[in-house]
Amino acid sequence: MHIDDLLRKESEWLKGTGPKSNIVISSRVRLARNFDGFPFLNQANPDVKLKILKMAESLMGKSKFLKGTLFIKMNDISEVDRQFLVERHLMSLEHMQDIESKALVIDDKEIISIMVNEEDHLRIQILQSGFNIMEAWRMIDEIDNDLSQYANFAFSNKWGYLTACPTNTGTGLRGSVMLHLPALVITNQIGRVYQAISKLGLTMRGLYGEGTDASGNFFQISNQVSLGQSETDLLDNIEKLINKIIMRESSTRNMLMTKNKEEVVDRIWRAYGTLNTARIINSKETITLLSIIRLGVDLGIIKKVDMRTINELFVLTQPAHLQKLENKILTPDERDVKRAELVRSKLT
Amino acid sequence: MHIDDLLRKESEWLKGTGPKSNIVISSRVRLARNFDGFPFLNQANPDVKLKILKMAESLMGKSKFLKGTLFIKMNDISEVDRQFLVERHLMSLEHMQDIESKALVIDDKEIISIMVNEEDHLRIQILQSGFNIMEAWRMIDEIDNDLSQYANFAFSNKWGYLTACPTNTGTGLRGSVMLHLPALVITNQIGRVYQAISKLGLTMRGLYGEGTDASGNFFQISNQVSLGQSETDLLDNIEKLINKIIMRESSTRNMLMTKNKEEVVDRIWRAYGTLNTARIINSKETITLLSIIRLGVDLGIIKKVDMRTINELFVLTQPAHLQKLENKILTPDERDVKRAELVRSKLT
């Protein structure tokens, strides 16, 4: 397996086959873990970082759950490849910075990904298609238990797992769900959702996590604290809230189709018309229009395109993906032309 | 022949077959004539107006050139029908006001139209497809000579033909050409064209004449004075200037295709995409997008639509036309839906 193979196949989470996949893109659980007896990364010198990298590499080789995974050292790959991995949600934007001794472990289905030397020594992530947070938890728990046989993770009986940032201390767990909420945005209800979430100790972010905007009406909801509750309680809490948001989005979609049908249908078809004919299109406009078409596919207005194609286009039209597809560096202007070509070829 | 028949056939000037029809929509010549011994209309009482109407009706019956024409009294037809005639450029907006004793004479090809009791007793108009102002003059001169056999038109040896407004005195002639100048608009050259025109004693107006805006990049250029020159000198003057504008528009279109090809092609296809998919669309957006597509057809970018269809859509998508096609009164919202339907059905 090689990074480039990812380009030619579909990530598990993009298939659009998971539960409630008309509204939920993906569910993700991640655990922060640090090797006992080693300083956190903000205090580690290059030698220590390298040692951790080597420990991590050897550890991965031992786990039966990580057989066949790829261990990618960040400074072995190009800038475009790193961007490519971020675009596929396999690693964070931060993992592209200061790449010395950083690595990423991924399996060929892109369900498992482990960042080495990001904020913590290990950040283990399971990504599932649709609303499937408990299955993600089941898998990550299994991997964590398995890895714990071969490594000592920093743990305090009082605090639980110790992490570089105190917000992750305790379970080291973050559960997050990526939602597509066009109807709540169109009807200006998203502000209220945001308020409700904050009160419950959860947080709402854009497509690429912290500090990114909610382009395409995509919202990532996750827990803010990971201390004081068991993992399953934390995830239960998220699951219940997400269920309510899904119901609200769903009923609002129905409401739009009864009360504003003509306007909604017009908007959806215009988005389709533009994507199907544009010769130059930037990322932002593409995401905005694909988002509207995604709603149209769910509402049964657009029948000639399937959800999988739309999900795939969200990923393929991003800068690093376009450059890997073309197998060369492209200027932003060149990308806008290639993006338009790609979208047209996939939609028709 | 009946007004409704016009709906089911094509006006001569819409065929898009005349000379330079990629840039020139139509050429028009009109003559202002008043019956000798009768006051101008601004001083005529209702009885006099009615007398003029009857004189006009009897006169039309005598001319061999007006055999088979329709004599339509404005208060015999509906508001929608009057609007319909304005939309087809067969009469002025003013002719819809104070309709008592007003009438319109038209032939079935919509080449000849004569307004009775508009600003002058008679306003005779010939409308030709494309850049064909001299042919329009030849026809109108023939009709004028013929009518003069049966009527005495107010004429002074010193001033020429006498008219209600002094700007029409002399020849009573106005020549005007409707131009489609998208390239000059896109490249911000239209201001300079406007200045050049003003200096030469000509004037530039929008789609429906005085006081209307240049939506769809359509501009109507005509002479401002009709005194002190012979008819053919006046028309020669217009013709020469229009030729220069046509050359400028044409070279600018070529320039756009060499220097900004991608942007232009993108804009044209997006316009096509929107018109082909919209479910709700107003008049203004329709005209704007059709204008871009018209450019695209001329540049050979859009091949599946012909110029005739585009020209026809400019007319058919207007409010009165839509209502006559549906055979009922429609609210603006209903028209926006019907307009979108009509455009989609004609473009695909």
Side-chain angles (χ1 to χ4, degrees):
Chain A
M1 185 187 156
H2 184 269
I3 275 193
D4 291 351
D5 296 339
L6 302 179
L7 195 65
R8 267 161 281 285
K9 58 168 224 44
E10 221 172 8
S11 324
E12 185 64 25
W13 68 275
L14 276 179
K15 289 190 176 159
T17 50
K20 312 259 164 96
S21 58
N22 60 333
I23 294 173
V24 184
I25 309 293
S26 60
S27 301
R28 178 192 341 216
V29 175
R30 71 105 168 112
L31 292 172
R33 293 293 182 258
N34 290 278
F35 295 114
D36 197 24
F38 289 83
F40 291 132
L41 290 161
N42 47 11
Q43 292 171 322
N45 64 34
D47 285 349
V48 173
K49 277 191 176 176
L50 186 60
K51 208 171 278 178
I52 295 168
L53 177 73
K54 287 187 171 164
M55 282 179 65
E57 190 166 10
S58 130
L59 177 62
M60 301 307 153
K62 289 170 187 156
S63 169
K64 60 179 173 187
F65 294 106
L66 302 177
K67 283 244 158 62
T69 54
L70 213 56
F71 193 92
I72 306 162
K73 290 175 185 155
M74 283 300 115
N75 55 14
D76 283 353
I77 61 173
S78 68
E79 171 85 16
V80 169
D81 276 340
R82 292 191 287 270
Q83 180 65 42
F84 171 78
L85 294 166
V86 172
E87 291 174 359
R88 292 183 88 78
H89 294 273
L90 294 170
M91 63 183 226
S92 65
L93 271 168
E94 293 72 32
H95 210 48
M96 282 187 70
Q97 318 297 322
D98 306 319
I99 56 174
E100 205 53 43
S101 295
K102 283 185 173 169
L104 181 73
V105 179
I106 48 172
D107 74 317
D108 65 340
K109 287 189 170 167
E110 296 173 73
I111 294 176
I112 305 168
S113 74
I114 304 175
M115 288 187 283
V116 179
N117 286 340
E118 201 239 27
E119 191 180 283
D120 293 296
H121 298 168
L122 300 182
R123 284 278 177 102
I124 309 164
Q125 170 185 281
I126 297 292
L127 190 57
Q128 289 282 353
S129 178
F131 191 32
N132 214 353
I133 203 160
M134 286 308 176
E135 170 61 10
W137 164 246
R138 194 196 59 71
M139 283 187 71
I140 207 165
D141 191 34
E142 213 167 51
I143 293 170
D144 181 41
N145 289 338
D146 190 49
L147 291 178
S148 298
Q149 290 183 44
Y150 314 106
N152 283 326
F153 291 138
F155 186 85
S156 130
N157 284 329
K158 186 170 178 197
W159 297 110
Y161 287 100
L162 300 176
T163 55
C165 176
T167 56
N168 293 311
T169 299
T171 56
L173 175 132
R174 177 147 300 162
S176 67
V177 177
M178 179 75 77
L179 293 151
H180 185 226
L181 304 175
L184 293 178
V185 172
I186 289 171
T187 57
N188 294 317
Q189 295 182 71
I190 208 73
R192 261 186 283 167
V193 172
Y194 187 81
Q195 284 171 4
I197 283 166
S198 308
K199 280 184 195 152
L200 293 164
L202 298 170
T203 177
M204 191 155 96
R205 298 192 178 105
L207 203 48
Y208 292 94
E210 221 162 323
T212 65
D213 71 347
S215 53
N217 309 313
F218 290 108
F219 298 90
Q220 197 172 299
I221 294 177
S222 54
N223 58 316
Q224 241 170 337
V225 288
S226 41
L227 189 72
Q229 278 186 292
S230 74
E231 287 87 346
T232 45
D233 284 352
L234 279 168
L235 296 175
D236 261 353
N237 189 14
I238 298 176
E239 199 169 50
K240 274 182 196 143
L241 179 78
I242 300 290
N243 257 321
K244 281 188 192 154
I245 298 174
I246 291 172
M247 280 167 60
R248 176 69 74 97
E249 169 70 18
S250 191
S251 63
T252 307
R253 288 185 187 184
N254 292 335
M255 186 274 283
L256 281 175
M257 280 303 275
T258 46
K259 291 200 181 158
N260 298 78
K261 183 163 182 185
E262 267 164 0
E263 285 80 357
V264 171
V265 171
D266 178 58
R267 202 158 156 173
I268 289 165
W269 275 111
R270 280 170 179 255
Y272 182 79
T274 301
L275 282 181
N276 234 328
T277 50
R279 260 58 185 169
I280 302 174
I281 195 161
N282 65 27
S283 260
K284 180 138 189 102
E285 187 184 2
T286 305
I287 290 177
T288 304
L289 296 177
L290 282 174
S291 168
I292 301 292
I293 294 183
R294 197 178 193 279
L295 176 65
V297 172
D298 178 46
L299 293 176
I301 292 161
I302 293 191
K303 294 194 176 75
K304 35 190 162 184
V305 186
D306 60 11
M307 208 56 118
R308 179 187 286 226
T309 305
I310 302 293
N311 284 354
E312 201 188 6
L313 275 174
F314 278 113
V315 176
L316 290 180
T317 55
Q318 296 174 95
H321 275 77
L322 286 173
Q323 294 178 81
K324 283 188 73 71
L325 283 170
E326 289 294 314
N327 210 12
K328 62 177 178 196
I329 298 295
L330 301 171
T331 66
D333 282 354
E334 289 168 340
R335 294 203 295 266
D336 289 352
V337 172
K338 289 292 171 194
R339 182 178 295 111
E341 267 177 39
L342 178 70
V343 170
R344 289 201 313 278
S345 76
K346 291 271 175 191
L347 286 186
T348 45
Chain B
M1 184 188 157
H2 184 268
I3 276 193
D4 291 351
D5 297 339
L6 301 181
L7 195 64
R8 267 162 279 285
K9 56 167 226 45
E10 221 171 9
S11 324
E12 185 62 27
W13 67 275
L14 277 177
K15 288 189 176 160
T17 50
K20 312 258 164 96
S21 58
N22 60 333
I23 294 173
V24 183
I25 309 293
S26 60
S27 301
R28 181 193 335 219
V29 175
R30 71 105 169 110
L31 291 173
R33 294 292 182 259
N34 290 275
F35 294 115
D36 196 24
F38 289 82
F40 291 132
L41 290 160
N42 46 12
Q43 292 170 322
N45 64 34
D47 286 349
V48 173
K49 277 192 176 175
L50 185 60
K51 208 171 279 180
I52 295 167
L53 176 72
K54 289 188 171 165
M55 280 178 67
E57 190 166 11
S58 129
L59 177 62
M60 302 308 156
K62 288 170 188 155
S63 169
K64 60 180 175 187
F65 295 105
L66 302 177
K67 283 244 157 63
T69 55
L70 213 56
F71 193 91
I72 307 163
K73 289 174 185 157
M74 282 300 116
N75 55 13
D76 283 351
I77 61 173
S78 68
E79 172 85 15
V80 168
D81 276 340
R82 290 190 289 269
Q83 180 65 44
F84 171 78
L85 293 167
V86 171
E87 290 174 359
R88 293 182 89 77
H89 293 273
L90 294 171
M91 63 183 226
S92 65
L93 271 168
E94 293 71 32
H95 210 48
M96 282 188 69
Q97 320 295 324
D98 306 318
I99 57 174
E100 205 54 41
S101 296
K102 281 184 174 172
L104 180 71
V105 179
I106 47 170
D107 73 318
D108 66 340
K109 287 190 169 166
E110 298 173 71
I111 294 175
I112 305 168
S113 75
I114 304 174
M115 290 188 281
V116 179
N117 286 339
E118 199 237 28
E119 191 179 284
D120 293 295
H121 299 169
L122 300 182
R123 284 276 178 104
I124 308 163
Q125 172 184 280
I126 298 292
L127 191 56
Q128 289 283 351
S129 178
F131 191 31
N132 215 353
I133 203 161
M134 286 307 176
E135 170 62 12
W137 163 247
R138 193 196 59 72
M139 283 186 70
I140 206 165
D141 190 35
E142 214 168 49
I143 293 171
D144 181 41
N145 289 338
D146 190 47
L147 292 177
S148 297
Q149 290 182 45
Y150 313 106
N152 282 325
F153 292 138
F155 185 86
S156 129
N157 284 329
K158 188 173 175 192
W159 298 109
Y161 287 99
L162 301 175
T163 54
C165 175
T167 56
N168 294 310
T169 300
T171 57
L173 175 134
R174 177 149 298 163
S176 67
V177 176
M178 179 76 76
L179 293 151
H180 185 226
L181 305 175
L184 294 178
V185 172
I186 289 170
T187 56
N188 293 318
Q189 293 183 71
I190 208 72
R192 261 186 284 167
V193 172
Y194 187 81
Q195 284 171 3
I197 283 167
S198 308
K199 280 184 195 152
L200 292 166
L202 298 170
T203 177
M204 191 156 96
R205 300 192 176 104
L207 205 47
Y208 292 95
E210 221 162 324
T212 65
D213 71 347
S215 53
N217 308 315
F218 289 109
F219 298 89
Q220 197 172 300
I221 293 176
S222 54
N223 57 313
Q224 240 171 337
V225 287
S226 40
L227 188 71
Q229 278 186 292
S230 74
E231 287 88 347
T232 44
D233 283 352
L234 279 167
L235 296 175
D236 261 353
N237 188 15
I238 298 176
E239 199 169 50
K240 274 183 196 143
L241 179 78
I242 299 291
N243 257 321
K244 280 187 194 155
I245 298 174
I246 292 171
M247 280 168 60
R248 175 70 73 96
E249 168 70 18
S250 191
S251 64
T252 307
R253 288 185 187 183
N254 292 336
M255 186 274 284
L256 282 175
M257 281 302 275
T258 45
K259 291 201 183 159
N260 299 78
K261 185 164 179 183
E262 268 165 359
E263 286 80 356
V264 171
V265 171
D266 178 58
R267 199 159 160 174
I268 288 165
W269 276 111
R270 281 171 178 253
Y272 182 80
T274 301
L275 282 181
N276 234 327
T277 50
R279 261 55 185 171
I280 302 175
I281 195 161
N282 65 26
S283 260
K284 179 138 188 99
E285 189 185 2
T286 305
I287 291 178
T288 304
L289 297 177
L290 282 174
S291 168
I292 302 293
I293 294 182
R294 195 178 195 280
L295 176 65
V297 172
D298 178 45
L299 294 177
I301 292 160
I302 293 191
K303 295 195 177 73
K304 35 190 161 184
V305 186
D306 60 12
M307 208 55 118
R308 178 186 286 226
T309 305
I310 302 293
N311 283 355
E312 201 188 8
L313 275 173
F314 278 113
V315 175
L316 290 178
T317 54
Q318 295 174 95
H321 275 77
L322 287 172
Q323 295 180 80
K324 283 188 73 72
L325 282 169
E326 289 295 313
N327 210 11
K328 64 178 176 193
I329 298 295
L330 300 170
T331 66
D333 282 355
E334 289 168 339
R335 293 202 295 265
D336 289 352
V337 172
K338 289 293 170 192
R339 182 179 295 112
E341 267 177 38
L342 177 70
V343 171
R344 289 202 311 281
S345 76
K346 291 271 177 190
L347 285 187
T348 44

